Amino acid sequence: MINVVKIGGNVIDNPEALEKFLREFASLEGDKILVHGGGKEATRMSESMGVPTTMIEGRRVTDRATLNIVTMVYAGLINKRIVALLQKFGCDAVGLTGADGNVIPAVRRPAKPVDYGFVGDIDPDKVSDKFIATLLNGGYVPVFCAICHDGDGSLLNCNADSVAAAVALGASRVAPTRLTYCFEKAGVMTDLDDETSVIPLVTRESFARLKEEGIVAKGMLPKLQNALDSAAKGVTEVRICKSDALCGSVGTIIKEK
Amino acid sequence: MINVVKIGGNVIDNPEALEKFLREFASLEGDKILVHGGGKEATRMSESMGVPTTMIEGRRVTDRATLNIVTMVYAGLINKRIVALLQKFGCDAVGLTGADGNVIPAVRRPAKPVDYGFVGDIDPDKVSDKFIATLLNGGYVPVFCAICHDGDGSLLNCNADSVAAAVALGASRVAPTRLTYCFEKAGVMTDLDDETSVIPLVTRESFARLKEEGIVAKGMLPKLQNALDSAAKGVTEVRICKSDALCGSVGTIIKEK
């Protein structure tokens, strides 16, 4: 089983949480891949350089100056900081973007209806399982940030959840793969204030019911839909759990059936 | 034959020269590896962020803030820009630091007599030929910046010429290797104003004579000494040539005999 694990800004922005998480990740047995988001450092960097940050519907508008900043912060600072820490914990990490080994080709998003600039969308079917297999077979642990490229010389800023899903799908063509999204909550919960209300299993069938009955919070619906799509395409299971409990609590498992 | 090619700031700081160089590099047949220096972008970035740049004897003093900047600029911005361009030219590049795959372990330089901060020295014997072989055998082209690590969680700023020599030595344990230093001049010249005065071959024997007779400029002596050391340790030949003539003029070849 290949474990693909995705962490977001809540872990990356907290040095102690990041170190604790990476220790746990390093201890996972077998083949594994890490995908990380960005956190607040790119915004701070933009501020210190006098580059304005524009967000539309929660997404960063990426002009040329912003593309340079996210490339520096995600692919440089954060990615290599994670690699150095994983190496310290005995995990032979290799930090990558989707441009490296042409592993995650992307397409620049059309300028209409909204021009997000250098933002890319990924076709998961085009992920290079050959590159993933080369590294895993060599005993290495790929660590991806969410910078990809268009194959024509331009880097593109992509969504880290989508990168994780694409990498997991590529990995699933190498060996059975589990995709874990680590986030702030203990899993998919029926009551956001009660950690014991975690739903242990969501299938396509039960998802329809959860949606219909309005049991699951709106923000969770696209996450679950994407997880089910990954499962439908070949990822053995998708798991949503708390980032400080990677090896502990199970959280919510999402499967086709 | 594995070709290890090193480029410096004069190419990196000039977008047209960089693109022209990378096109030539991409056209090289067989296994190849690129090592790149930094250029002026880190200094510009430091200025725009209000971080003072301190140089002692031409070397950058690397405090924590400066380490973050060189990591962002060398491992993020420049490295991934090169990877994206090489991919455009059909070369399956993988951008790396010495921390990735623990390929170039380094040791932080002692704080005395001069405290350079997070600056590392490399033991070429510790370069991971296994990692280099894994990528080359997979058909990939490693692209290294000069950021390495201490194995204890800290990145280190290293000298790009030393990284190139270390990578070439690691590669030479995989297959016969040629190391090419691309720089401003057409090679080792007896008259710096006359490009036709390039010395085509330097051996250990002729080097002693060139040194004794004061034929070669002082700045070139350590470059030649390092090249001869690489040749002595197993690199088949070292070549010094002009960066805009990678596939054209031969420049100076340095060999044991």
Side-chain angles (χ1 to χ4, degrees), chain B residues 201-204 228 231 236-238 253-257:
Chain B
L201 179 69
V202 176
T203 62
R204 192 166 291 277
L228 281 167
T236 306
E237 63 179 41
V238 181
I253 303 279
I254 299 110
K255 283 175 133 171
E256 268 287 278
K257 295 183 192 181

Side-chain angles (χ1 to χ4, degrees), chain A:
Chain A
M1 180 71 85
I2 302 171
N3 266 299
V4 177
V5 179
K6 192 255 164 179
I7 48 167
N10 61 317
V11 184
I12 289 161
D13 288 330
N14 179 336
E16 291 78 36
L18 180 62
E19 191 153 338
K20 180 176 179 293
F21 170 84
L22 294 176
R23 263 185 209 281
E24 283 212 346
F25 177 79
S27 76
L28 288 179
E29 294 287 332
D31 289 336
K32 52 188 183 268
I33 299 172
L34 184 64
V35 179
H36 64 84
K40 293 178 190 144
E41 260 168 311
T43 303
R44 274 201 299 272
M45 186 66 57
S46 297
E47 276 167 17
S48 83
M49 292 178 65
V51 174
T53 295
T54 311
M55 307 289 278
I56 300 178
E57 290 175 10
R59 284 171 187 268
R60 189 182 298 271
V61 177
T62 307
D63 59 8
R64 172 69 63 186
T66 304
L67 179 66
N68 285 346
I69 289 169
V70 295
T71 302
M72 289 195 293
V73 173
Y74 301 166
L77 195 60
I78 296 174
N79 189 268
K80 299 311 173 184
R81 182 189 293 156
I82 288 174
V83 166
L85 282 169
L86 285 175
Q87 289 285 347
K88 174 182 174 180
F89 301 144
C91 172
D92 209 349
V94 178
L96 300 159
T97 67
D100 299 299
N102 193 24
V103 57
I104 315 170
V107 172
R108 185 167 165 168
R109 192 172 297 173
K112 290 182 179 176
V114 179
D115 187 359
Y116 284 100
F118 294 94
V119 161
D121 292 308
I122 300 162
D123 178 353
D125 293 333
K126 292 193 175 151
V127 169
S128 169
D129 40 297
K130 181 201 150 207
F131 185 65
I132 292 172
T134 297
L135 288 174
L136 293 180
N137 292 343
Y140 300 103
V141 176
V143 176
F144 289 100
C145 67
I147 302 291
C148 298
H149 78 141
D150 67 358
D152 198 31
S154 188
L155 296 165
L156 294 169
N157 188 16
C158 295
N159 175 276
D161 281 356
S162 305
V163 168
V167 165
L169 205 63
S172 74
R173 295 193 290 269
V174 178
T177 296
R178 176 196 291 126
L179 168 59
T180 301
Y181 287 104
C182 291
F183 83 142
E184 314 90 75
K185 303 286 181 185
V188 181
M189 303 193 291
T190 53
D191 176 356
L192 285 178
D193 296 322
D194 178 7
E195 292 224 334
T196 66
S197 76
V198 168
I199 305 170
L201 180 69
V202 176
T203 62
R204 193 165 290 277
E205 207 183 294
S206 72
F207 175 63
R209 205 166 52 241
L210 290 169
K211 205 158 75 168
E212 206 180 274
E213 297 176 5
I215 295 171
V216 168
K218 264 194 179 164
M220 187 51 83
L221 291 178
K223 264 194 200 297
L224 283 174
Q225 185 61 59
N226 291 337
L228 282 166
D229 290 349
S230 293
K233 283 184 173 170
V235 175
T236 305
E237 62 178 43
V238 181
R239 183 180 155 215
I240 298 180
C241 73
K242 207 163 182 169
S243 47
D244 67 357
L246 179 63
C247 303
S249 74
V250 171
T252 300
I253 302 279
I254 299 112
K255 284 174 131 170
E256 269 287 278
K257 295 182 191 178

Side-chain angles (χ1 to χ4, degrees), chain B:
Chain B
M1 179 74 85
I2 302 171
N3 266 299
V4 177
V5 179
K6 191 255 164 181
I7 48 167
N10 61 317
V11 185
I12 290 161
D13 287 331
N14 178 337
E16 291 79 34
L18 180 63
E19 191 152 337
K20 180 176 179 294
F21 170 84
L22 294 175
R23 261 184 211 280
E24 283 212 346
F25 177 79
S27 75
L28 288 179
E29 295 286 331
D31 289 336
K32 52 186 183 273
I33 298 173
L34 184 65
V35 179
H36 64 86
K40 294 177 188 142
E41 261 168 312
T43 303
R44 276 201 298 272
M45 186 65 57
S46 297
E47 276 168 16
S48 83
M49 292 177 65
V51 174
T53 295
T54 311
M55 307 287 280
I56 301 178
E57 292 175 7
R59 285 172 185 267
R60 190 182 298 271
V61 177
T62 308
D63 59 8
R64 171 69 62 189
T66 304
L67 179 66
N68 285 346
I69 289 170
V70 295
T71 301
M72 289 195 294
V73 174
Y74 301 165
L77 194 60
I78 297 175
N79 189 269
K80 299 312 174 186
R81 181 190 293 158
I82 289 174
V83 167
L85 282 169
L86 285 175
Q87 289 286 347
K88 174 183 174 180
F89 301 144
C91 172
D92 209 348
V94 178
L96 299 159
T97 67
D100 299 300
N102 193 24
V103 57
I104 314 170
V107 172
R108 184 168 165 168
R109 193 172 296 173
K112 288 182 181 175
V114 179
D115 187 358
Y116 284 100
F118 293 96
V119 161
D121 292 307
I122 301 163
D123 178 353
D125 294 333
K126 292 194 176 151
V127 169
S128 170
D129 40 296
K130 180 202 152 206
F131 185 65
I132 291 171
T134 297
L135 289 174
L136 294 180
N137 293 341
Y140 300 102
V141 176
V143 176
F144 288 101
C145 67
I147 301 292
C148 298
H149 77 142
D150 67 359
D152 198 32
S154 188
L155 296 165
L156 294 169
N157 189 14
C158 294
N159 176 276
D161 281 355
S162 306
V163 168
V167 165
L169 205 64
S172 74
R173 295 193 291 269
V174 178
T177 296
R178 176 196 291 125
L179 168 58
T180 301
Y181 287 103
C182 290
F183 83 143
E184 313 92 73
K185 303 286 179 187
V188 181
M189 303 193 289
T190 54
D191 176 356
L192 285 179
D193 295 322
D194 179 8
E195 292 224 335
T196 66
S197 76
V198 169
I199 304 170
L201 179 69
V202 176
T203 62
R204 192 166 291 277
E205 209 182 293
S206 73
F207 175 63
R209 208 169 47 243
L210 290 168
K211 204 158 74 169
E212 207 179 274
E213 298 176 3
I215 295 170
V216 169
K218 264 194 178 162
M220 188 52 83
L221 293 178
K223 264 194 199 300
L224 284 174
Q225 185 62 60
N226 290 337
L228 281 167
D229 290 349
S230 293
K233 282 184 173 168
V235 176
T236 306
E237 63 179 41
V238 181
R239 182 180 155 216
I240 299 181
C241 73
K242 206 163 183 171
S243 46
D244 66 358
L246 178 63
C247 304
S249 73
V250 170
T252 300
I253 303 279
I254 299 110
K255 283 175 133 171
E256 268 287 278
K257 295 183 192 181

